[in-house]
Amino acid sequence: MRIAILTSGGDAPGMNAAIRAIAVVGKSRGHEVFGIRDGYSGLLAGHWMDLDADATEGITRQGGTILGSSRCAEMTQPGGPERVLARLAELGAEGLVVIGGNGSLTGAHVLASKRQLKIVGLPASIDNDVGHAGLAIGVDTAVNTIVDACDRISDTARAHRRCFIVEVMGRNCGFLAMRAGIAAEADAILYGEASLDEAHVLARLERMLARCFAPGRHKKRALIVKSEGLPIPIMKLRGAVQEIVTRLAPGVDVRETVLGHVVRGGDPTALDRTIAQRLGFASIIALEKGLSDVMLGWEPPFGVGRETMDPSVRIIPLEEVLAETSRLLDGSSPVIKRRMELLAQVEEILPG
Ligand code: F6P
């Protein structure tokens, strides 16, 4: 087969590991493998590159994507997918592996429904907001980056007895804030899925801060990890928290740090490389079996998807993936409900 690889949407650490695995495994099994440059936009412009052994050597450890990425508005416009398919036909592609998040996989599903070529999606997004993905490529690295940043911030916070609010990426998904917040011993974790209004958020923070700065306590720092999906601007939150802290512990300052794109870069962790390599390997096998319009998930919830020869990798139709993604984002998925219930239990036992 002639197989194209495309990375699209926000890049995620581990994309390169997936690209190399697909290229190396594909070639070793007699396929031609090439890379599309700059996502769907680059494809429309006909930009591609060869992925021979030299081009991919050493990229497993690199963040970002050597292919480049983009968010392509044309894919959602009338005629856009047809133009993309025409380009793929010109390039002689018989199979396509799309590595990306929600938008990218939605595009993959639209293209696959036209049945012109076989398309397999691999979930890659630091947000971990792709339905049934289990752990998407890039999430583990992003969590580790946030934990490292919070540890550093905690050092300086303790030196000055300060309260810090750290805002992390995740779009509308609080997964990064939740997982990293617990690992970094945060005193509070704020995320959009709880749908609390500002007054409720501040009341919760006041209860937590009252415990942190109770008379007789010598706690040196308070850490609030806020997901960007919580719709309260960070400076407004900082002002409101400063008012509370000044009442409870005069002289204690509040500071804010927005980690932003720092969370998206960096060398992928060993776990992200493993996930990327094993999903990449499975994508070649899936294409050889003639599968299309599917995504490969890493240890998705029990019972979801069809098994592969790899016990951690399962095959899930893209239609199911996208339906579950919508449920994750509107809070109706059992996965997000369980996540919030667990976190609520953890918050009960946070010492403050
Ligand atoms: O989806 C990945 C992500 O990094 C989100 O966490 C964030 O909201 C968004 O992309 C930022 O997008 P951009 O790089 O286009 O500013």
Side-chain angles (χ1 to χ4, degrees), residues 71 125-127 169-171 228 261 264:
R71 302 192 199 276
S125 164
I126 60 163
D127 304 338
M169 275 191 172
R171 209 181 282 274
E228 68 176 348
H261 289 77
R264 219 161 75 190

Side-chain angles (χ1 to χ4, degrees), residues 6 8 36-47 69-75 84:
L6 171 150
S8 156
I36 304 290
R37 304 205 73 132
D38 306 328
Y40 293 113
S41 306
L43 176 54
L44 281 167
H47 295 158
S69 190
S70 63
R71 302 192 199 276
C72 176
E74 215 176 320
M75 268 296 279
V84 163

Side-chain angles (χ1 to χ4, degrees), residues 34-335:
F34 66 102
I36 304 290
R37 304 205 73 132
D38 306 328
Y40 293 113
S41 306
L43 176 54
L44 281 167
H47 295 158
W48 64 279
M49 66 185 270
D50 194 17
L51 289 176
D52 62 24
D54 291 346
T56 60
E57 193 204 341
I59 66 169
T60 300
R61 57 160 301 228
Q62 286 173 21
T65 160
I66 61 159
L67 292 178
S69 190
S70 63
R71 302 192 199 276
C72 176
E74 215 176 320
M75 268 296 279
T76 56
Q77 287 159 8
E82 287 72 18
R83 279 194 287 281
V84 163
L85 286 169
R87 279 293 191 193
L88 284 164
E90 274 167 37
L91 293 169
E94 298 158 283
L96 172 68
V97 183
V98 174
I99 308 171
N102 286 330
S104 317
L105 297 174
T106 303
H109 177 54
V110 171
L111 296 177
S113 64
K114 315 265 182 208
R115 296 172 193 279
Q116 180 181 301
L117 74 171
K118 309 285 178 214
I119 302 184
V120 171
L122 303 188
S125 164
I126 60 163
D127 304 338
N128 214 28
D129 57 353
V130 177
H132 296 321
L135 214 50
I137 295 168
V139 176
D140 186 62
T141 307
V143 168
N144 278 282
T145 303
I146 296 169
V147 172
D148 180 57
C150 287
D151 288 349
R152 288 162 191 261
I153 285 167
S154 294
D155 288 343
T156 169
R158 287 201 174 93
H160 293 268
R161 196 171 191 230
R162 280 177 169 161
C163 171
F164 264 86
I165 307 171
V166 176
E167 182 176 284
V168 303
M169 275 191 172
R171 209 181 282 274
N172 296 315
C173 179
F175 183 89
L176 288 180
M178 294 177 188
R179 182 155 291 193
I182 298 210
E185 276 190 25
D187 298 286
I189 299 165
L190 307 177
Y191 49 92
E193 291 94 325
S195 301
L196 295 180
D197 62 22
E198 201 173 318
H200 279 89
V201 170
L202 292 177
R204 243 196 73 203
L205 289 179
E206 179 147 3
R207 283 197 297 278
M208 177 278 286
L209 290 163
R211 286 201 304 272
C212 287
F213 297 111
R217 284 206 65 187
H218 301 286
K219 187 171 161 63
K220 294 247 173 53
R221 75 95 165 99
L223 175 65
I224 300 166
V225 175
K226 172 195 179 293
S227 171
E228 68 176 348
L230 179 84
I232 307 177
I234 184 99
M235 291 313 286
K236 191 171 182 210
L237 186 64
R238 175 188 163 177
V241 171
Q242 181 68 74
E243 269 180 36
I244 297 170
V245 169
T246 301
R247 253 189 290 120
L248 296 168
V252 172
D253 282 334
V254 181
R255 294 281 190 272
E256 83 293 334
T257 301
V258 177
L259 294 182
H261 289 77
V262 167
V263 173
R264 219 161 75 190
D267 297 347
T269 58
L271 177 59
D272 263 329
R273 297 179 201 195
T274 301
I275 294 172
Q277 288 169 331
R278 283 167 64 177
L279 293 183
F281 181 90
S283 69
I284 292 289
I285 308 292
L287 287 173
E288 283 177 0
K289 289 193 167 151
L291 294 178
S292 187
D293 209 4
V294 295
M295 184 192 82
L296 299 170
W298 179 261
E299 299 178 350
F302 183 73
V304 169
R306 267 194 294 150
E307 63 180 17
T308 64
M309 60 190 260
D310 184 333
S312 294
V313 176
R314 296 187 70 90
I315 302 163
I316 308 133
L318 273 171
E319 197 172 0
E320 276 180 37
V321 167
L322 298 175
E324 173 64 3
T325 298
S326 306
R327 290 190 290 268
L328 279 180
L329 295 178
D330 70 20
S332 65
S333 158
V335 170

